[in-house]
Amino acid sequence: ELESDRGSVADTAAADLRRIERDLHDGAQARLVTLAMDLGLAKEKLLQDPQAAADMVDEAHGEVKLALQELRDLARGIHPAILTDRGLGPALSALAARCTADVTVTVDLPDRPAQAIEGITYFTVSELLQNITKHAQARTARIDIWKTHDRLLLQTTDDGKGGATTTGTGTGLAGLADRLTAVDGLLILDSPTGGPTTITAELPWRV
């Protein structure tokens, strides 16, 4: 079990690194390369055609804004600033606002857990909300987080079509269950055909 858990953690870390590398290469890096070329052309035209050079600099300014936004989005995917600064409640509310369903978020914790547990909780909710958006066809959903004894509990409920499974492909739930198991966590799924779907996750409470 330890070997399996260690393998899951290593695979997850490797996949995350590949995703970050791909996003940097295909997104911000490519945009910055284009920006450098445009500014080089503008520099050449500066004396010959000042108006054309000014137009190119203006376009480059727009490219800078887009590159900055892509870098912000990438940083949010690694570890969102709102989670670090304000904790799970505000961070999960920001996630819920991007879900297609109307999501209610309730966080009832005596204090903030360890940063690692907080991060895993955040990305677990992010994955579950993405499933709701992509697959559930739900109108409403609910996220509840609380502490009991030495465990952090997370539960999501939605009124979608149900039928979710940890053995199928395309939902990400199987990978999520593996990630939680690797950190001494647990994922419990109740999703009859026709709904509703209730997913409960347990994580160790650490401070």
Side-chain angles (χ1 to χ4, degrees):
E1 288 180 0
L2 286 172
E3 288 179 355
S4 175
D5 291 348
R6 185 169 63 245
S8 295
V9 171
D11 290 345
T12 297
D16 288 341
L17 286 173
R18 287 195 299 271
R19 175 183 59 81
I20 294 167
E21 181 182 20
R22 183 178 64 250
D23 289 346
L24 281 172
H25 182 271
D26 296 343
Q29 179 178 316
R31 196 175 295 281
L32 289 172
V33 169
T34 302
L35 173 63
M37 294 173 61
D38 290 345
L39 287 174
L41 293 172
K43 183 179 178 181
E44 292 178 2
K45 287 182 174 290
L46 190 59
L47 296 179
Q48 301 172 353
D49 190 348
Q51 184 56 50
D55 292 340
M56 295 179 73
V57 170
D58 187 56
E59 291 179 6
H61 185 237
E63 288 291 312
V64 169
K65 291 181 177 179
L66 291 173
L68 286 173
Q69 185 59 51
E70 287 182 352
L71 288 171
R72 289 192 192 100
D73 292 342
L74 179 61
R76 187 182 300 117
I78 297 170
H79 195 88
I82 189 173
L83 178 61
T84 302
D85 296 339
R86 301 178 60 191
L88 279 170
L92 296 184
S93 294
L95 273 181
R98 300 198 292 268
C99 184
T100 54
D102 182 13
V103 183
T104 301
V105 178
T106 302
V107 177
D108 183 15
L109 298 175
D111 45 35
R112 293 181 66 169
Q115 188 177 56
I117 299 302
E118 199 171 58
I120 293 170
T121 303
Y122 175 88
F123 287 109
T124 298
V125 173
S126 176
E127 182 78 29
L128 294 176
L129 287 178
Q130 286 181 43
N131 275 351
I132 290 174
T133 294
K134 293 178 181 178
H135 305 290
Q137 301 177 9
R139 291 172 297 177
T140 63
R142 181 177 181 86
I143 301 168
D144 291 287
I145 295 177
W146 69 99
K147 176 181 180 286
T148 177
H149 303 298
D150 60 347
R151 306 289 280 180
L152 183 149
L153 279 85
L154 181 168
Q155 189 171 80
T156 64
T157 305
D158 70 72
D159 63 355
K161 63 180 184 178
T165 174
T166 56
T167 58
T169 58
T171 65
L173 290 176
L176 184 58
D178 288 341
R179 292 186 188 191
L180 291 174
T181 300
V183 293
D184 195 26
L186 181 67
L187 187 74
I188 302 170
L189 173 65
D190 179 21
S191 183
T193 300
T197 295
T198 300
I199 300 176
T200 305
E202 287 189 20
L203 284 163
W205 178 270
R206 298 174 189 149
V207 295

